[in-house]
């Protein structure tokens, strides 16, 4: 049995988090009000804590039952046009096997939660050490101090050419004998300037819905990220949100997004070709925000990648976000960015910061594309684990510990 704790500003929000994470079969064990920590929060409204549990076998059986209960010609989706899905028994069996594997992976991820938290804490420690070190005014030879930061940047997977440029600028600004704090301050300002100010979604003010499209390679977490953005704008910003998915190549992706849409009370439309997208957008004319999920496309498959290019062109979205994972190697990341260069304008979203201890790829990609940073994701929880990129935290992580 899984037992987890959820906190919300009121009972409704806490129960929504329970339902989104554990599903409708969850059992509420306890509900209580808790005070927020800190002197200035003593007089604020108490939060609500809910302790909930669900059986370990939740997920596989419920998904399979839901799948088998649907007719072959009734998938439960709001389809703009095109026929219903048809599956033979062999495909259904393969789908069930994949769902079981996904469920096993989910359980492993939950089981590793404590380890991930420890890793995240270790990511923060270098920042604390750096702050402590910057208070040390011991003057040391320039070469020794610069070598130390040079090595730290390389360890955090910052591109060698960028590191050389940074060190070269610092060398021209500091004296022969320099303090660690002075060098750290100059590097911090240089890197922060390279990162730039993160950019949020710019909503239209002409009464028309803002159309936002997420693109990127397979496996980076586009669908979950889209659900987090949708939940944030709906629950926290009180915006009317509509969802569209063009990712019909992965059944699990459609199922996943449909589950989120049902929980959040949002409409979901599934499209099967690029010529359906404008009709779907028109049907959402009363929305504030329209979020479009696309299938992960390998640039090595020219036919599939051309389909994505066509979809982007006919959608004419107000904003496009290229989603990248911080666990991706820089060589592959360069190839991805190169092949997505057909996008006229886009912003960068980085996922899985909780799974990567080196964040150099963020600075590298920002410098390579000259595109604005936007959201980063730090876990699997919807809608909590998403935020605008914290340039201060990322910069300190790149500079590393001083010992």
């Amino acid at each position: 049995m899984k037992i987890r704790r959820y906190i919300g500003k009121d009972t409704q929000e806490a129960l929504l988090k329970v339902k989104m994470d554990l599903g409708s079969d969850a059992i509420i064990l306890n509900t209580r009000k808790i005070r927020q920590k800190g002197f200035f929060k003593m007089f604020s409204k108490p939060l609500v804590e809910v302790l909930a549990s669900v059986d370990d076998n939740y997920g596989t059986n419920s998904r399979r039952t839901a799948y088998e209960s649907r007719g072959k010609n009734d998938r439960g989706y709001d389809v703009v046009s095109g026929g219903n899905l048809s599956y033979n028994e062999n495909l259904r069996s393969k789908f069930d096997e994949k769902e079981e594997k996904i469920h096993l992976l989910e359980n492993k991820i939950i089981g590793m939660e404590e380890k991930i938290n420890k890793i995240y804490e270790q990511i923060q420690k270098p920042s604390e050490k750096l702050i402590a070190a910057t208070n040390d005014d011991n003057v040391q030879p320039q070469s020794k101090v610069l070598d130390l930061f040079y090595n730290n940047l390389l360890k955090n997977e910052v591109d060698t050419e960028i590191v050389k440029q940074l060190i070269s600028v610092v060398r021209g600004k500091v004296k022969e004998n320099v303090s660690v704090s002075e060098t750290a301050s100059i590097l911090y300002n240089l890197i922060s300037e390279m990162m730039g100010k993160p950019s949020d979604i710019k909503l239209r003010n002409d009464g028309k819905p803002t159309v936002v499209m997420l693109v990127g390679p397979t496996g980076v977490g586009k669908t979950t990220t889209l659900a987090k953005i949708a939940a944030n704008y709906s629950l926290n910003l009180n915006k009317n949100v509509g969802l569209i998915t063009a990712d019909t190549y992965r059944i699990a992706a459609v199922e996943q997004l449909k589950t989120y849409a049902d929980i959040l009370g949002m409409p979901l439309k599934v499209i099967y070709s690029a010529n359906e997208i404008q009709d779907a957008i028109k049907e959402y004319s009363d929305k504030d925000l329209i979020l479009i999920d696309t299938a992960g496309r390998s640039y090595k498959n020219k036919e599939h990648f051309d389909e994505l290019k066509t979809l982007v062109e006919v959608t004419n979205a107000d904003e496009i976000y290229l989603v990248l994972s911080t666990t991706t190697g820089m060589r592959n990341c360069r190839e991805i960015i190169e092949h997505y260069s057909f996008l006229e304008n886009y912003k960068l979203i980085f996922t899985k910061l909780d799974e990567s201890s080196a964040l150099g790829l963020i600075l590298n990609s920002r410098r390579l594309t000259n595109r604005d940073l936007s959201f980063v994701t730090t876990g699997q929880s919807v809608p909590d684990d998403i935020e605008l990129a914290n340039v201060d935290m990322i910069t300190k992580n790149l500079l590393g510990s001083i010992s």
Side-chain angles (χ1 to χ4, degrees):
M1 175 177 290
K2 291 190 253 182
I3 300 178
R4 303 191 71 177
R5 185 171 69 104
Y6 301 86
I7 296 176
K9 63 183 178 182
D10 52 33
T11 304
Q12 182 179 5
E13 181 178 299
L15 291 177
L16 178 60
K17 291 183 178 181
V18 172
K19 188 173 181 181
M20 293 178 71
D21 193 17
L22 300 182
S24 58
D25 292 337
I27 299 173
I28 306 302
L29 301 177
N30 184 46
T31 302
R32 68 184 181 120
K33 293 184 177 180
I34 58 174
R35 288 287 180 184
Q36 300 185 56
K37 296 180 180 180
F39 178 78
F40 292 103
K41 295 183 179 180
M42 289 178 60
F43 305 102
S44 62
K45 184 178 178 180
L47 301 175
V48 175
E49 178 189 84
V50 174
L51 193 66
S53 70
V54 71
D55 186 74
D56 286 332
N57 293 324
Y58 170 75
T60 302
N61 293 335
S62 62
R63 290 191 187 103
R64 183 175 298 170
T65 302
Y67 176 82
E68 294 176 350
S69 65
R70 301 186 185 104
K72 290 184 178 181
N73 294 321
D74 183 10
R75 299 296 299 160
Y77 309 142
D78 184 2
V79 181
V80 176
S81 65
N84 296 315
L85 300 176
S86 176
Y87 299 88
N88 55 37
E89 293 299 323
N90 184 40
L91 183 58
R92 180 183 298 179
S93 176
K94 290 182 179 179
F95 174 70
D96 289 344
E97 292 175 3
K98 289 182 179 179
E99 287 294 286
E100 290 177 0
K101 291 179 181 178
I102 292 173
H103 179 59
L104 290 173
L105 288 173
E106 290 174 345
N107 287 338
K108 288 181 180 179
I109 291 172
I110 294 172
M112 294 173 65
E113 185 175 12
E114 292 183 359
K115 293 183 179 179
I116 292 174
N117 288 336
K118 290 179 180 179
I119 293 174
Y120 187 75
E121 291 174 0
Q122 291 175 359
I123 293 176
Q124 304 305 311
K125 288 180 181 179
S127 302
E128 298 170 0
K129 292 180 180 178
L130 174 61
I131 294 172
T134 56
N135 294 325
D136 181 6
D137 289 328
N138 292 329
V139 176
Q140 300 181 36
Q142 184 193 72
S143 58
K144 183 177 180 180
V145 175
L146 293 183
D147 284 348
L148 184 130
F149 282 107
Y150 183 92
N151 291 330
N152 278 357
L153 290 167
L154 289 181
K155 287 178 183 177
N156 286 297
E157 299 182 10
V158 178
D159 185 79
T160 304
E161 290 303 315
I162 296 178
V163 176
K164 289 180 179 179
Q165 292 173 13
L166 288 169
I167 297 300
S168 176
V169 173
V170 176
R171 183 175 285 113
K173 291 187 175 184
V174 300
K175 301 176 182 179
E176 183 175 347
N177 293 320
V178 63
S179 67
V180 172
S181 62
E182 182 183 359
T183 307
S185 177
I186 295 173
L187 281 170
Y188 176 90
N189 291 332
L190 288 172
I191 294 174
S192 297
E193 186 177 349
M194 283 186 181
M195 289 285 188
K197 185 178 180 180
S199 177
D200 204 344
I201 295 175
K202 307 299 182 185
L203 296 177
R204 299 174 66 126
N205 55 11
D206 59 358
K208 296 181 179 179
T210 302
V211 180
V212 173
M213 174 180 282
L214 270 61
V215 301
T218 57
V220 295
K222 289 190 300 299
T223 301
T224 304
T225 301
L226 182 139
K228 292 175 182 177
I229 295 173
N232 179 53
Y233 273 82
S234 175
L235 299 177
N236 299 330
L237 301 178
N238 296 318
K239 299 301 180 181
N240 195 355
V241 181
L243 306 178
I244 299 174
T245 179
D247 189 1
T248 55
Y249 286 82
R250 291 191 308 125
I251 304 301
V254 180
E255 293 281 358
Q256 181 185 15
L257 193 55
K258 185 178 187 298
T259 300
Y260 287 130
D262 290 342
I263 293 173
L264 294 169
M266 296 177 184
L268 169 65
K269 296 185 181 298
V270 183
I271 66 168
Y272 296 92
S273 63
N275 56 19
E276 300 173 15
I277 189 68
Q278 285 300 329
D279 289 336
I281 292 174
K282 288 179 182 178
E283 290 192 33
Y284 283 155
S285 60
D286 61 329
K287 306 300 180 185
D288 299 312
L289 178 64
I290 301 174
L291 296 172
I292 303 174
D293 189 23
T294 62
R297 286 288 183 257
S298 171
Y299 53 83
K300 297 179 181 179
N301 188 323
K302 187 177 184 304
E303 180 180 352
H304 286 177
F305 206 68
D306 286 344
E307 290 178 4
L308 175 63
K309 290 182 179 179
T310 301
L311 181 64
V312 170
E313 182 179 350
V314 300
T315 300
N316 193 27
D318 295 297
E319 294 193 3
I320 298 177
Y321 289 81
L322 176 59
V323 184
L324 301 171
S325 169
T326 53
T327 61
T328 305
M330 193 57 214
R331 179 178 177 180
N332 288 339
C333 187
R334 286 180 182 276
E335 292 183 357
I336 292 168
I337 290 173
E338 180 182 350
H339 285 85
Y340 277 89
S341 62
F342 70 89
L343 299 172
E344 292 185 2
N345 191 22
Y346 61 90
K347 299 177 184 177
L348 296 170
I349 292 178
F350 290 93
T351 63
K352 306 182 182 180
L353 266 69
D354 55 310
E355 299 179 25
S356 176
S357 58
L359 303 182
L361 181 133
I362 297 178
L363 178 61
N364 299 340
S365 301
R366 159 71 178 143
R367 188 67 182 273
L368 187 62
T369 63
N370 196 31
R371 305 296 182 181
D372 288 346
L373 299 179
S374 188
F375 301 104
V376 297
T377 69
T378 56
Q380 297 296 316
S381 179
V382 177
D384 297 326
D385 295 335
I386 188 169
E387 61 186 25
L388 281 178
N390 187 330
V391 172
D392 175 72
M393 182 277 290
I394 296 171
T395 302
K396 289 176 179 176
N397 174 275
L398 297 180
L399 290 176
S401 62
I402 309 299
S403 58

